[in-house]
Each structure stands twice: as structure tokens, then as C-alpha cells.
Amino acid sequence: VAHPSPALIVDLAAADRNIERAAATFRDGPVRLRPHFKAHKCTTLMRRQLDGGGCCGVTCATAWEARVLAEAGFDDVLVANEVADPAGLAHLTAAAALARVTVCVDDARHVELLAASGARLGLLVEIDVGQRRCGLRPDGEELLPLARMIAETSGLELRGLQGYHGHAVLLESRTEREQEAARTAEILAAERDFLLAAGLPCDVLSGGGTGTWDLPGVLTEVQAGSYVLMDASYGRLDLAFEQALFCRTTVVSRRGTRIVLDAGLKALSAEYGMPRGTEPGLEVLSLADEHATALVPEGCALQPGDTTLLIPAHVDPTVNLHPALYVDGEAWAVDGRTR
Ligand SMILES: Cc1ncc(COP(=O)(O)O)c(C=O)c1O
């Protein structure tokens, strides 16, 4: 199959080995994997992850993604986020008509909006375990009134807590990741105990990412997403997963040791820095809209018209720039974005 240049290429054998490594850990429980869709937004790949085993459902970031997943037949979907806009609430309602949908809240207003949507939804109260994004302060004070309000609202089911330590998942030191994961566990256990002591349910403790995938602590489910395709940022950590995503790009110009490739910011996110080359000694210096400028060793044979593979620095925003992933000659739609 002729694919465009630049194009995202998946090494399916490597992705399958990543799926199997995760499945081997989670298959026997009690902790399960709830793979995060936002890493690649491709339902074909997500189906393969669930078929690999060890999963209790899927995670996604937006109500729109939940709708895409529910319509694609995924029957247990967590939106690991707060939803407060009318379009989002409508997508949640549509998704909840097809699948078991759970969503996060950290404010009474969320509960009012979700109740008014009329959808039957599971709810997790989000706790800020140190990321300083969404979530209640972890002192139990705000938790109980909000949890009681949910428990008393018809159509909504209090299922438990979310605590995502986004500040910890990319720490290069395993010891530091262990410390942060332990802190998360301590916070979530205390919040869970507040709920249980008040006679409120807390069956689900959801959180974790690729950098902490094997440090669940008290979590009942782990929301890792990047592990299946990986990227250059996670590649710096000592994780058990292999690089499975590459941006195939064409050399468009060369002057001595400076080459220009046809993949720029419209094909690769620079949020976490420059992509990594696979060609020995190739170093990407900068990305412009349509071009990457790189240095290569003098002996490098790359000439205009040749292709080379780059490893994206950050998988999620990179895949989000592309309509498809190319897998063994097939185009797999990034349908969580394009549908
Ligand atoms: C709420 C939430 N859970 C889990 C993840 C896991 O992502 P990753 O696999 O990239 O660590 C993320 C990533 O940003 C997230 O925002």
C-alpha cells in the first residue's frame, strides 16, 4: 500500500509484545488494566489490546472518545476526566445508552449537570494526588458531602475514586516513581476509608500510567495508554515496553551533514522535545511547519528520496495529527479523532 509521506508506521509485532507483557501482569488480577484510548485514538488497536487480556474496560479522555468507543462496541468505558460542556454531556448520554460509562467529578456542579443529562452514569470522585490539575484536596473534607450528593442522586452511581499522578509517570528514576506511587496509594487508601466509614461505596480506585504501570499500590485498575506504542520520552525510562510507533519521513534536501526531512510540526508534536532518529548518529535539530532539520554523520548514505524512521517524542499529540496508522500495509483509522 502506498502511504503518504510523512506517515505513522506501527511495528505490529512490537505492539503485540507490549500488549502481551501487560496482559501477563494483569491477567490473573486482582488489579486490571484499563488501557487509555487517548494515546492513539484507534479503535482497531484498542480492540487488539482488550483481546490480549487482563483488561476490565477502556479509559478515554473526552466524552467524544467515549461515544466513539461505545459505538465501536466497547462495553465498559471510563472518561478519566470531568465533563461540563453541553456537547460533551450529549456525547456522554449517547455513549451511556450503549455501554457502561463512568465519568469523573470534583464539584457539585458536575453532579447537577450529569443528573440533568438524564444519562445513567457511574461516577468516580477525582482526588488531586499531587498533579495539581483536577481533583479534590486529599483531606476528606470535600469528599463526603460530594459523595453523599452522588449517592442520593437517581441515575448516578458512586463507584469510587480516581487519583492520577501525572507528575510522576515520566520521572526517570524508578525509585522516585515508586515513592510517588506509594504517596498516591496512601492518599487514595485514606480517602477510600472515609467513604467506607460513612457507609458509602468505593469499589473502584483508578489511576496510574505507563511509567507506573507495575506500581499499582491500592489501585484496582491501571490507566496506562502509551505502553502499547511507546515514544521517545517513555523510551528513556527503564520500562518493559518496546518502541512500536515510527514516523516514516522522506529526505527532501541535503547539504553536507545537514539534511531536511518532510516531517515537521504538522506530523510530530514537539511538546516533549525533538523526535529521536533511528538512523545511526542522526540528530533532529528543529521542526518547522513542514520540515525537520537534522544533522547526520559524514558517512551517512541518506539522499533526497530516501526514507528514514523517527521516534516521536510524545505519542498522544503526534498520533492526533494523523488520520491513520499504517500497519503491515493496512491503514487503521485514528477514528477517535476523525470520525
Ligand atoms: C487521567 C490519565 N490517566 C492515565 C494516563 C496515562 O497515560 P500514559 O500511559 O501516557 O502514562 C493519562 C495520561 O496523560 C491521564 O491523563
Side-chain angles (χ1 to χ4, degrees):
V1 163
H3 48 66
S5 183
L8 290 184
I9 310 294
V10 173
D11 176 342
L12 189 58
D16 279 346
R17 286 191 292 274
N18 291 339
I19 290 170
E20 177 49 33
R21 282 188 194 109
T25 296
F26 293 107
R27 201 172 272 138
D28 297 331
V31 185
R32 301 285 178 186
L33 182 62
R34 184 181 279 281
H36 209 316
F37 185 56
K38 81 181 180 62
H40 53 70
K41 299 195 190 191
C42 170
T43 58
T44 309
L45 181 56
M46 183 52 80
R47 176 57 64 202
R48 209 170 173 93
Q49 290 167 257
L50 261 61
D51 288 348
C55 301
C56 61
V58 297
T59 306
C60 63
T62 69
W64 167 249
E65 291 169 9
R67 183 169 188 171
V68 169
L69 287 161
E71 289 178 357
F74 294 87
D75 59 8
D76 191 327
V77 180
L78 167 66
V79 182
N81 233 325
E82 287 70 12
V83 177
D85 66 298
L89 292 162
H91 292 316
L92 271 190
T93 306
L98 298 169
R100 177 177 207 185
V101 175
T102 304
V103 61
C104 292
V105 296
D106 69 3
D107 196 290
R109 184 71 185 133
H110 295 133
V111 181
E112 290 165 6
L113 289 168
L114 294 169
S117 76
R120 296 194 73 79
L121 294 163
L123 265 54
L124 300 184
V125 178
E126 182 160 17
I127 305 295
D128 180 1
V129 293
Q131 187 185 21
R132 301 284 176 272
R133 195 168 63 184
C134 299
L136 302 183
R137 279 192 309 274
D139 54 19
E141 260 183 46
E142 295 175 294
L143 174 62
L144 288 185
L146 186 59
R148 285 202 184 94
M149 178 183 180
I150 297 165
E152 288 162 8
T153 305
S154 75
L156 304 181
E157 180 199 0
L158 177 63
R159 299 194 60 209
L161 302 170
Q162 168 166 293
Y164 173 61
H165 44 222
H167 56 293
V169 290
L170 274 165
L171 293 171
E172 282 185 42
S173 149
R174 167 119 187 142
T175 310
E176 286 178 24
R177 294 201 304 280
E178 282 170 355
Q179 284 164 355
E180 284 301 327
R183 231 176 79 75
T184 299
E186 209 177 294
I187 291 169
L188 288 181
E191 298 295 295
R192 175 199 58 202
D193 292 346
F194 281 127
L195 290 178
L196 297 180
L200 292 159
C202 187
D203 297 331
V204 176
L205 294 173
S206 195
T210 295
T212 53
W213 76 285
D214 58 349
L215 302 168
V218 297
L219 296 177
T220 62
E221 52 181 50
V222 173
Q223 302 173 354
S226 302
Y227 77 97
V228 63
L229 294 179
M230 292 291 284
D231 57 28
S233 303
Y234 267 134
R236 281 197 286 272
L237 276 56
D238 49 354
L239 299 175
F241 303 113
E242 300 171 47
Q243 188 59 40
L245 180 74
F246 301 89
C247 182
R248 178 177 286 170
T249 167
T250 304
V251 180
V252 291
S253 180
R254 176 167 180 176
R255 293 282 169 284
T257 56
R258 212 173 54 85
I259 65 167
V260 182
L261 307 168
D262 66 358
L265 290 165
K266 294 182 187 175
L268 291 159
S269 164
E271 181 202 2
Y272 287 175
M274 294 299 110
R276 212 174 72 214
T278 57
E279 173 76 19
L282 184 149
E283 185 198 348
V284 177
L285 300 177
S286 64
L287 296 175
D289 284 356
E290 312 282 356
H291 299 97
T293 301
L295 282 181
V296 289
E298 249 162 53
C300 169
L302 288 175
Q303 294 298 329
D306 292 344
T307 61
T308 188
L309 300 178
L310 299 178
I311 299 176
H314 191 189
V315 54
D316 316 41
T318 295
V319 177
N320 193 50
L321 297 168
H322 294 257
L325 300 171
Y326 290 86
V327 188
D328 287 344
E330 282 178 30
W332 289 8
V334 182
D335 47 351
R337 167 185 167 264
T338 57
R339 240 191 80 244

